[in-house]
Amino acid sequence: MIVWYGAWMKRSDENKQLLIAALISVLTNMVESMAILIDHSFFDAYAGESRDGSPAAKFFTGDVVAMSSAILSGDCESNALSFAYAFLAIFKDQFLKMEGAAAGVCFKSKTMPKIVGLVVWKSLHSFYTYVLASDFRNRILPYFDGFAVDIKYDVFRVAYVSGQNGLDQPLQGGLET
C-alpha cells in the first residue's frame, strides 16, 4: 500500500481533475513493475485524536498502521452523513480504550459513500492485543444498525517514510477544496 498526502487549496474543479489524472498516471507507472493499482481514492479528514496532543497523526518507519474502511452498499447515499457520524462515534468511543495507539484519523471519501479510519500503533503486539480483547459484535456493529455496509480491515507495518519527520496527516478537516 502506498499512502500519498497532499492538499489542494482553492483551485477550480477542472484543475483538480487534471491533477487527479496526473497522480493516477504517476502511481500506475511507479508501481507497474511491482503491483497493479486496484483502488485509489481521495479523502477529507474530518476528525481525529492524538495521544501526544499533536494536531497530526504521524507515523514513522516501523510503526503499525491499521485501516478499517466501510462503504455503504445499495442505494444509501442519502445516509452518507449519518454513516460518517456513526463511524466517528465508534472512533471516539474506542480510541481511549486502544492502549498502544498513538493517533487516529477518520476520513470521508470525496467521490463515494465510503469512510476510512486510520490508527497508528506503536507495535503489532499492541494492535493485536486490542483486537483480540475487543468484542466487535457487541461494541461496534450496533453503531451500524440500519445501514447496509461492507466493512474491511487491513494492517500494515510502515516500511518507508520519505523525510525525517514522518508522514503527517491532519487530525481535523478544514482544508478548502
Side-chain angles (χ1 to χ4, degrees):
M1 179 178 84
I2 297 171
V3 176
W4 177 83
Y5 168 73
W8 187 258
M9 307 286 284
K10 294 188 180 185
R11 304 276 191 234
S12 73
D13 193 49
E14 180 182 312
N15 288 340
K16 189 187 315 181
Q17 295 306 319
L18 292 172
L19 174 65
I20 290 169
L23 287 173
I24 303 294
S25 175
V26 167
L27 277 173
T28 302
N29 292 336
M30 185 170 69
V31 300
E32 190 173 71
S33 65
M34 300 179 288
I36 298 169
L37 183 63
I38 57 171
D39 189 16
H40 67 278
S41 299
F42 294 87
F43 293 86
D44 284 328
Y46 68 95
E49 296 275 339
S50 169
R51 297 254 190 233
D52 66 2
S54 170
K58 298 177 182 182
F59 53 91
F60 302 90
T61 301
D63 285 346
V64 172
V65 174
M67 295 182 74
S68 54
S69 67
I71 188 164
L72 284 171
S73 355
D75 189 26
C76 299
E77 288 191 38
S78 61
N79 292 328
L81 189 58
S82 298
F83 181 55
Y85 283 124
F87 198 77
L88 174 61
I90 293 168
F91 176 77
K92 293 286 190 183
D93 177 58
Q94 294 297 304
F95 186 74
L96 293 177
K97 299 171 186 170
M98 296 176 173
E99 251 183 75
V105 183
C106 295
F107 297 97
K108 185 175 178 308
S109 174
K110 291 177 149 301
T111 57
M112 63 184 99
K114 183 176 187 177
I115 50 178
V116 173
L118 178 143
V119 178
V120 180
W121 295 85
K122 289 302 169 190
S123 73
L124 198 53
H125 180 271
S126 296
F127 167 74
Y128 281 119
T129 299
Y130 170 74
V131 168
L132 293 173
S134 67
D135 182 3
F136 178 77
R137 291 192 186 276
N138 292 327
R139 288 173 130 183
I140 307 299
L141 290 181
Y143 284 101
F144 290 120
D145 265 356
F147 294 110
V149 64
D150 181 26
I151 303 172
K152 295 185 175 150
Y153 303 91
D154 282 308
V155 62
F156 305 92
R157 179 171 304 277
V158 178
Y160 174 76
V161 175
S162 63
Q164 295 291 66
N165 297 327
L167 182 63
D168 296 351
Q169 175 56 54
L171 295 178
Q172 298 291 334
L175 294 178
E176 302 225 6
T177 57

